[in-house]
Amino acid sequence: MSIIVEHDKRRKEILERALDVFVDEGFEDATFQKIADRCGITRTTLYIYFKNKKEIFNWSIKQMLIGVEADLERVKADQNLKTPEKLILVLTTILDRLQENKRLLSVVLNYLLHLSKSGTDTDYRVRKRTIRLRHILASIVIDGIRKGELKQVNVRETDDLLYGLIEAAIFRLVVLQRDSVDELRQAIELAVRLLSK
């Protein structure tokens, strides 16, 4: 058991240091060797944990999304909260996680821009990664409509509206280099008030 714990601990350390390399060098210029050097290990040792830099990059994104989704599922399952409260808590939790992961978001955005220039369908890639998050938002809206706590709205359009606030937060944090997106908390509360009965 301790070997697995140690392996997971080492993997997290590698991910943290790899993020520094991605931020400093950009995805394209980051190399497996640079990541190994930053971690103070050999490339051979790094191969024990990851097969290439893309796997490291994808693992970083996956870890962030798993954490966010777990937080959101807890909020969604909380029977003590009314739907408007759930929506506000879910969206503000996402804002908090985005702020915490600003450096990773910067790397992801640069990577997506690079893919876009090469003709890759970045919209499909983003949707594939965020489908569970969008599903959680939509299911909370559906439940709220069913309970009579939200107006009868088009679920897809509402999901797009709420997800648009998340995209606005990413833009403000990464492109505009803001340290905080607290002003969007008021926009979230306004949107939820407008949806509420």
Side-chain angles (χ1 to χ4, degrees), residues 11-76:
R11 184 179 273 252
K12 286 179 183 174
E13 290 170 1
I14 291 169
L15 289 172
E16 287 173 22
R17 293 198 177 118
L19 180 57
D20 292 335
V21 176
F22 289 131
V23 169
D24 294 346
E25 307 282 337
F27 179 82
E28 288 306 307
D29 292 332
T31 65
F32 211 59
Q33 184 63 55
K34 287 177 183 177
I35 293 168
D37 290 346
R38 186 72 59 103
C39 294
I41 58 178
T42 65
R43 279 175 43 155
T44 305
T45 303
L46 187 54
Y47 279 117
I48 293 170
Y49 299 94
F50 299 99
K51 62 183 175 187
N52 56 39
K53 75 172 182 178
K54 188 171 182 183
E55 183 181 33
I56 294 171
F57 183 64
N58 287 334
W59 189 264
S60 296
I61 296 167
K62 184 177 179 182
Q63 288 303 108
M64 179 182 72
L65 290 175
I66 286 171
V68 170
E69 289 165 8
D71 289 345
L72 302 189
E73 287 292 351
R74 277 192 294 279
V75 172
K76 180 181 162 192

Side-chain angles (χ1 to χ4, degrees), residues 113-122:
L113 288 171
H114 172 77
L115 289 178
S116 182
K117 289 177 187 173
S118 68
T120 302
D121 184 356
T122 54

Side-chain angles (χ1 to χ4, degrees), residues 114-175:
H114 172 77
L115 289 178
S116 182
K117 289 177 187 173
S118 68
T120 302
D121 184 356
T122 54
D123 183 53
Y124 170 76
R125 284 180 177 245
V126 170
R127 284 187 177 276
K128 189 170 112 177
R129 288 274 188 190
T130 59
I131 194 162
R132 284 201 299 262
L133 176 118
R134 291 182 71 120
H135 177 72
I136 292 167
L137 286 172
S139 63
I140 292 172
V141 170
I142 291 167
D143 191 49
I145 293 169
R146 227 180 265 137
K147 289 179 178 176
E149 295 173 350
L150 296 181
K151 295 175 183 172
Q152 290 290 327
V153 293
N154 181 300
V155 175
R156 184 183 180 116
E157 290 171 2
T158 303
D159 190 53
D160 282 341
L161 169 71
L162 298 175
Y163 189 73
L165 292 168
I166 296 167
E167 289 176 333
I170 294 169
F171 179 81
R172 290 175 187 201
L173 287 167
V174 177
V175 177

Side-chain angles (χ1 to χ4, degrees), residues 91-104:
L91 291 165
T92 55
T93 298
I94 292 170
L95 291 187
D96 292 341
R97 286 298 189 118
L98 292 174
Q99 282 181 205
E100 291 167 12
N101 291 283
K102 182 179 173 180
R103 293 172 58 228
L104 176 58

